[in-house]
Amino acid sequence: MTRKKAHIISHSHWDREWFLPLESLRFRLVTLMDEVEALLDKENGFNHFHMDGQMIMLEDYLAVKPAKKEKMKQLVSEGKLRIGPWYMLQDAFLTSGEANIRNLQYGLEMAEEFGQVEKIGYFPDTFGLYGQVPQLMRQAGFDTVVFGRGVNPTGFNNQVFDSAFASKYSEMFWESPDGSKVLGILLANWYSNGNEIPVDKEEAKDFWDKKLADVERFASTDDWLFMNGCDHQPVQIDLAEALEVARELYPDVDFIHSHFEKYQDAVKAGLNPEKLQTVHGELTSQQSDGWSTLANTASSRIYLKQANAKIERLLERLAEPISVMATEAGVSYPHEYLAFAWKLLMENQIHDSITGCSLDEVHREMEARFEKVEQRAMAIIQNAAQKITEQIATNDAGIPITVFHAGGMEATRTVELELETDAIHFSDMHFELIPDELAKLPEQSFRLETRDGKEIPVIVESLGTRFNYNLPERKFRDSYFARKYKLTFVVENLPAVGYETIYAYPVHLEDNNTEITQDFQLENRYLKVEVAPNGTYTILDKQTAVEIAGVGAYEDAGDIGNEYMFKETGDNLRLNTLDSTPAIRVLREDELGKTIEIKHEIEIPVSASKAFAEEKRRLVWHPDRKSDRSENHTTFRITTELTLNKQDKQLNIRINFVNSVDDHRLRVILPTGKQTETHQAGSVFEVVTRANKQVKEWTNPAKDNRKQGFVASGNMVVASLGLPEYEVSEQGDSIELTLLRAVSEIGDWGDFPAYEAECHREITAEFHLILTDEPDVANTAIPAQVNALLSPVFAIQHTSKKEKVLPETKDFAKWKTADGFVFSAWKLAKDNQPIIRFYQTSSEPKLLNTVNPWRKSTILEETSGDAESQFTVLPNEIITLKGV
């Protein structure tokens, strides 16, 4: 008879911040690590400790005890302290594909510095997993993934339910859309199933009788996994003694103090592949009752999602690409400073942080981090852009302005820039006299032209006289006053990845005679939009004749859930704006286009009823709550701006409101024009197709999902950053986009108030609507177009000149792609070779052609094969190329 082997892995799942703030938990971390070190040094049966798969845990410890670094290296090199591969444990769906790759890259770099890495994909508590995990892990050289969520349903305090829709085994194969396959090991009894093992024989007998049976129920091999630890769990200092007791009680079981690589090797050796099922694509607990998917973390504290998406794009679409461009101006690529910025952003991308499901103190600190990392990103961008402009060969007649873009395809974009003229420096005149001197100058405006003399429409707004300063390289601050103007203009045919230089010419100020009509229509050569008296609008695509009416109503529902999950109030009282009569006016109408403003006022309850407080106090699990909405009402005001500029192929929507209401959810309703059974959404390195109707076991009335970039159903494509939660109706004829979810507690794990999650603040939300007659957007250029649309541009006024060696415009995108390719990254590898990355969303193989030869690379920037100029890219493949 084959002996059973119980692999006990000591660990502590380290949520860096959650129900306690960072520094409170760091204090406990130091104690934990000191005790772990002492146990590993004794070598008396306590052989290994797993550092939760994340390097930031070790980094946080060494920040307090830097002298311990060499000791930690020793323990790692001896195989006792098991570290990596991640820098931190992120939320998978709320962080971009590039952020997921940087997380792995920086984690592996740090682990290698300490000696070795635990070569296993570790996702113990990620709130759902994107479908491309197996492909990314395979490219990183891992063939096994350990995960805790996405297959089995879980309940309060992470209780695992035995049900008809649970996985048969804890071992399975998991396959990405491209066909990449890994061994998946589900923590079927959670990552604490071997926690606090008793030493007392009677207690140990009861403990192991249950635990062994629980694991045997799911295990497909004779190697069984027991995770000795839990959230912030102190190390079990008497574990060696407890295992000796277990060995005495169960002589037919080998109790091994193990680690993941040893365990995975044993499982692989004992596998019968024919017994295992293969799961495909994303794992979001879609085969469950729907009450514990944690999908609504996508809408908790929506302001965090907006800040994260903005900064990811600054790093991916400006800081990294412009830094590559700047190398042509002799500027060194800022590897270390980019890592410095990325790592600070990653501190906010940890799963209990970016999901918005922690204490108020945690999320207040996150906002400060976001401000810091934005400063770091902008410092990189501004420095690189300035160095480039100093060497661009420009004419001497106009004021040169260079616009940078890295959306991956040629684009026409609306740009804003603050322009300075007539600067008088403090070194030239006493500062008290300068404002009066500038006031003597005649009012002026500007004409913008392309480098070949074509006029560019521009709106000029005078900002008056402003103080500013330069920071010379070798001198003290150079202060001055100047006249400042806000320029809003359109640049056509921006390079896919590159820059374009235009010119501003001062002209005499003329009255703007553009007449503002009060007809509530927007129209250009692509779209026509008509606003109805109730504030909804009809959109017509003039090229395809697709028309959708009744777009843009708002719906407010009560929410007695928590930061993890939405639960509607027992009265199901929903209020909308369909019967309202908002104030509508034309806000602007000029050379660029037109904006219509719609101001809604809706009477909604101020909160949930008083009964809700008692339900929270008694820890009633969210599916069982029944409280109604309050009988007291207040006026809730929503301002909507619809903008259609002359070159736009999409309708741009900007929504603003100040929330002072508790316990509610606000959504905008977007009809799709036709019924469908499925819809598509952008995700991490893929476009995923999801069923509109849930499985028969699904009992949650809500069917919320997460997106990255866009969601498409019927004839409607909704593109946005920082608004990741949506719901599509079962008929596919409506998309509901969440703008706000206001709740008051963490939820799930106990009574942890989080009143600032009510989001009493001003919220501004932006999204774009695109109409299509294509039934399968993954096979079109739409994913790439959305990707470019959501990429920021950066414009800079030239302020100095050192050389004239760079051209006025340059497109660095020396490649040609077909529909289905989405641009993802352009950066330098550690050896300063260029890296470009795409992912392919279409259902057929496509060709990627490059001007110069490149070598195919993994996501870790390791190359193989010969240099080529043409690559066949398979459906759903993530392709990284490295220069030679």
Side-chain angles (χ1 to χ4, degrees):
M1 179 179 177
T2 304
R3 290 175 62 85
K4 309 296 184 184
K5 292 177 282 297
H7 293 258
I8 292 86
I9 295 181
S10 292
H11 77 112
S12 186
H13 177 56
W14 205 261
D15 298 302
R16 190 171 187 251
E17 48 192 12
W18 179 30
F19 66 92
L20 285 172
L22 167 61
E23 297 307 330
S24 298
L25 288 171
R26 193 200 303 258
F27 188 85
R28 295 176 61 87
L29 173 64
V30 171
T31 300
L32 168 71
M33 293 305 301
D34 287 345
E35 290 182 344
V36 165
E37 177 192 343
L39 286 170
L40 292 175
D41 272 345
K42 286 181 181 178
E43 297 184 350
N44 63 345
F46 190 97
N47 305 315
H48 312 284
F49 188 82
H50 179 66
M51 290 289 286
D52 202 32
Q54 52 177 332
M55 294 305 302
I56 200 169
M57 189 175 173
L58 190 55
E59 193 172 68
D60 282 345
Y61 171 65
L62 294 175
V64 178
K65 294 195 171 185
K68 289 286 187 179
K69 185 172 184 178
E70 292 306 314
K71 180 61 179 180
M72 295 299 107
K73 284 185 174 182
Q74 175 195 332
L75 294 175
V76 170
S77 64
E78 292 172 350
K80 297 178 178 180
L81 199 63
R82 314 296 297 189
I83 63 172
W86 302 104
Y87 179 67
M88 53 80 196
L89 295 180
Q90 77 281 29
D91 182 87
F93 281 99
L94 298 178
T95 52
S96 70
E98 290 302 320
N100 276 265
I101 287 179
R102 299 300 180 283
N103 184 17
L104 189 59
Q105 287 177 320
Y106 291 133
L108 289 172
E109 286 177 14
M110 188 175 174
E112 289 164 3
E113 178 192 352
F114 277 79
Q116 59 179 303
V117 61
E118 189 89 83
K119 293 184 177 179
I120 192 163
Y122 193 61
F123 302 85
D125 198 17
T126 310
F127 298 172
L129 289 162
Y130 51 86
Q132 292 282 35
V133 165
Q135 183 176 179
L136 291 177
M137 293 298 97
R138 277 292 188 179
Q139 288 202 28
F142 301 168
D143 60 8
T144 304
V145 173
V146 174
F147 58 96
R149 295 187 187 272
V151 177
N152 272 17
T154 57
F156 184 82
N157 204 22
N158 296 321
Q159 172 192 358
V160 178
F161 291 118
D162 185 12
S163 67
F165 46 93
S167 63
K168 183 177 181 181
Y169 295 118
S170 52
E171 299 82 32
M172 66 200 74
F173 294 115
W174 183 11
E175 188 172 301
S176 278
D178 75 309
S180 299
K181 187 181 288 189
V182 294
L183 172 64
I185 296 175
L186 172 68
L187 300 172
N189 298 287
W190 207 232
Y191 54 68
S192 57
N193 69 321
N195 193 28
E196 298 178 0
I197 301 172
V199 173
D200 178 84
K201 286 188 178 180
E202 186 173 334
E203 293 178 5
K205 184 71 166 59
D206 291 341
F207 177 91
W208 284 113
D209 280 351
K210 181 179 186 310
K211 297 295 184 180
L212 291 170
D214 285 346
V215 172
E216 186 173 23
R217 181 161 53 95
F218 287 111
S220 69
T221 74
D222 293 323
D223 288 272
W224 298 348
L225 177 63
F226 296 91
M227 299 293 288
N228 178 234
C230 195
D231 300 352
H232 314 108
Q233 180 78 22
V235 63
Q236 183 170 348
I237 58 177
D238 60 356
L239 178 64
E241 183 181 357
L243 294 185
E244 285 300 324
V245 171
R247 293 176 184 119
E248 181 180 343
L249 290 171
Y250 302 89
D252 293 333
V253 178
D254 288 337
F255 289 88
I256 307 165
H257 195 218
S258 192
H259 57 78
F260 271 114
E261 287 192 23
K262 180 185 292 186
Y263 168 70
Q264 74 167 345
D265 290 344
V267 168
K268 288 176 187 176
L271 273 182
N272 179 356
E274 295 181 359
K275 291 173 60 176
L276 302 189
Q277 69 186 69
T278 298
V279 294
H280 298 271
E282 62 182 10
L283 304 179
T284 59
S285 300
Q286 60 266 52
Q287 299 291 321
S288 74
D289 63 5
W291 281 112
S292 296
T293 65
L294 312 188
N296 298 116
T297 54
S299 55
S300 291
R301 304 180 191 255
I302 202 75
Y303 58 92
L304 298 177
K305 282 66 175 177
Q306 292 176 308
N308 179 69
K310 174 186 177 181
I311 295 167
E312 282 180 336
R313 287 279 157 156
L314 286 179
L315 289 170
E316 298 167 13
R317 295 290 185 269
L318 290 177
E320 290 178 339
I322 298 179
S323 293
V324 181
M325 299 177 206
T327 59
E328 298 211 357
V331 181
S332 297
Y333 189 80
H335 291 284
E336 295 83 4
Y337 208 88
L338 280 165
F340 187 53
W342 269 113
K343 286 182 179 180
L344 183 60
L345 177 59
M346 288 177 193
E347 290 186 40
N348 279 357
Q349 294 184 330
I350 297 171
H351 64 281
D352 285 315
S353 300
I354 189 56
T355 50
C357 58
S358 298
L359 289 182
D360 293 336
E361 296 96 317
V362 168
H363 299 303
R364 285 198 295 269
E365 186 169 356
M366 285 180 66
E367 290 191 87
R369 285 191 205 120
F370 278 133
E371 288 185 10
K372 285 185 177 180
V373 72
E374 184 172 357
Q375 292 167 11
R376 293 179 187 181
M378 289 309 301
I380 296 169
I381 294 165
Q382 289 165 346
N383 177 70
Q386 182 179 340
K387 298 296 186 184
I388 292 169
T389 60
E390 288 175 349
Q391 298 187 30
I392 292 177
T394 57
N395 69 44
D396 297 324
I399 302 169
I401 299 166
T402 295
V403 181
F404 293 87
H405 171 254
M409 61 189 308
E410 191 176 275
T412 297
R413 300 292 298 276
T414 301
V415 181
E416 291 185 353
L417 171 73
E418 291 190 358
L419 186 76
E420 290 183 341
T421 65
D422 306 307
I424 301 179
H425 295 255
F426 288 13
S427 58
D428 298 327
M429 181 182 294
H430 193 281
F431 66 88
E432 292 180 348
L433 303 176
I434 298 174
D436 291 338
E437 187 69 19
L438 290 173
K440 298 176 185 178
L441 299 176
E443 290 293 319
Q444 65 180 12
S445 185
F446 296 90
R447 184 182 77 256
L448 293 190
E449 293 183 2
T450 64
R451 53 195 160 82
D452 54 5
K454 180 181 177 182
E455 186 166 353
I456 299 172
V458 60
I459 305 302
V460 180
E461 177 187 353
S462 175
L463 301 178
T465 297
R466 299 285 182 87
F467 167 81
N468 205 348
Y469 59 88
N470 295 318
L471 294 175
E473 290 183 4
R474 297 289 180 265
K475 295 181 180 180
F476 184 62
R477 184 178 61 237
D478 175 21
S479 300
Y480 61 90
F481 281 102
R483 294 201 291 180
K484 183 168 279 193
Y485 303 85
K486 179 182 177 182
L487 274 55
T488 305
F489 54 95
V490 173
V491 181
E492 297 182 346
N493 304 318
L494 279 169
V497 179
Y499 63 82
E500 177 75 44
T501 301
I502 63 174
Y503 295 89
Y505 296 92
V507 295
H508 291 299
L509 182 66
E510 297 180 2
D511 292 334
N512 187 349
N513 295 320
T514 303
E515 182 180 352
I516 295 181
T517 61
Q518 286 303 317
D519 71 290
F520 303 136
Q521 294 186 1
L522 306 170
E523 187 169 7
N524 64 13
R525 56 180 167 160
Y526 302 110
L527 299 176
K528 182 177 182 180
V529 181
E530 296 187 41
V531 181
N534 68 354
T536 63
Y537 35 97
T538 298
I539 311 173
L540 169 67
D541 187 312
K542 296 163 72 172
Q543 295 181 307
T544 63
V546 170
E547 184 176 56
I548 302 178
V551 179
Y554 295 98
E555 181 183 79
D556 191 84
D559 189 346
I560 51 174
N562 51 51
E563 290 181 322
Y564 292 104
M565 292 296 295
F566 168 77
K567 172 62 168 70
E568 189 162 3
T569 48
D571 53 15
N572 294 314
L573 177 61
R574 297 191 179 193
L575 300 161
N576 62 55
T577 59
L578 285 172
D579 296 326
S580 65
T581 308
I584 307 173
R585 65 170 179 147
V586 176
L587 191 62
R588 58 166 272 265
E589 187 172 10
D590 49 44
E591 292 183 75
L592 301 186
K594 186 175 178 180
T595 298
I596 296 176
E597 178 188 78
I598 307 166
K599 287 193 171 183
H600 282 100
E601 291 187 351
I602 180 173
E603 297 297 313
I604 64 175
V606 297
S607 66
S609 67
K610 293 181 180 179
F612 183 37
E614 179 64 12
E615 286 184 315
K616 289 187 289 186
R617 188 188 69 80
R618 292 175 47 238
L619 304 183
V620 176
W621 195 36
H622 60 276
D624 301 324
R625 294 175 177 178
K626 297 179 174 61
S627 299
D628 295 336
R629 303 188 78 172
S630 172
E631 295 180 356
N632 298 321
H633 286 64
T634 189
T635 302
F636 193 83
R637 297 176 175 85
I638 307 168
T639 300
T640 308
E641 294 178 6
L642 308 180
T643 297
L644 185 67
N645 288 328
K646 292 182 179 179
Q647 83 289 351
D648 290 338
K649 296 181 180 179
Q650 75 287 336
L651 177 63
N652 310 296
I653 295 95
R654 185 176 187 269
I655 299 166
N656 179 267
F657 54 86
V658 177
N659 181 52
S660 59
V661 177
D662 292 347
D663 314 323
H664 73 126
R665 181 189 69 188
L666 180 67
R667 283 180 159 178
V668 60
I669 311 301
L670 307 166
T672 70
K674 66 179 181 181
Q675 295 188 354
T676 60
E677 293 183 355
T678 62
H679 67 275
Q680 294 180 305
S683 188
V684 178
F685 293 122
E686 69 170 320
V687 174
V688 61
T689 299
R690 294 170 176 150
N692 297 337
K693 189 174 182 179
Q694 301 297 337
V695 295
K696 59 182 175 58
E697 294 87 0
W698 193 280
T699 59
N700 187 349
K703 302 175 288 294
D704 305 317
N705 267 303
R706 290 160 286 194
K707 67 173 179 63
Q708 289 201 2
F710 75 93
V711 55
S713 184
N715 299 121
M716 177 68 78
V717 179
V718 184
S720 67
L721 286 176
L723 299 173
E725 182 183 287
Y726 72 91
E727 183 173 358
V728 173
S729 65
E730 285 195 1
Q731 296 76 28
D733 56 1
S734 177
I735 297 171
E736 299 180 13
L737 184 67
T738 304
L739 305 175
L740 171 76
R741 202 164 66 85
V743 295
S744 60
E745 64 170 358
I746 293 178
D748 183 29
W749 198 75
D751 184 12
F752 292 96
Y755 188 67
E756 290 174 22
E758 297 283 13
C759 298
H760 288 180
R761 58 173 66 210
E762 182 177 8
I763 299 287
T764 299
E766 297 182 359
F767 58 93
H768 313 275
L769 301 182
I770 302 167
L771 302 191
T772 180
D773 58 357
E774 296 284 352
D776 182 4
V777 299
N779 278 294
T780 71
I782 288 176
Q785 291 168 352
V786 169
N787 183 56
L789 177 64
L790 299 179
S791 296
V793 294
F794 180 74
I796 185 172
Q797 174 185 355
H798 296 213
T799 56
S800 63
K801 188 172 297 298
K802 293 183 176 178
E803 297 180 78
K804 290 188 176 183
V805 295
L806 297 178
E808 292 171 291
T809 183
K810 185 164 185 177
D811 192 348
F812 293 83
K814 304 302 184 184
W815 57 78
K816 184 177 181 181
T817 60
D819 288 353
F821 280 92
V822 180
F823 172 76
S824 187
W826 186 47
K827 59 187 287 289
L828 291 191
K830 289 178 67 177
D831 60 4
N832 288 319
Q833 290 297 324
I835 293 288
I836 53 173
R837 183 162 30 252
F838 302 86
Y839 58 99
Q840 212 266 76
T841 66
S842 67
S843 58
E844 300 292 333
K846 293 290 182 74
L847 291 178
L848 169 61
N849 293 289
T850 63
V851 173
N852 300 315
W854 298 70
R855 282 195 175 91
K856 195 169 182 180
S857 167
T858 68
I859 60 169
L860 300 183
E861 299 165 8
E862 299 165 343
T863 59
S864 61
D866 297 329
E868 300 178 50
S869 297
Q870 186 178 85
F871 300 85
T872 300
V873 185
L874 299 177
N876 301 297
E877 182 180 353
I878 303 163
I879 181 168
T880 305
L881 302 181
K882 189 173 184 179
V884 293

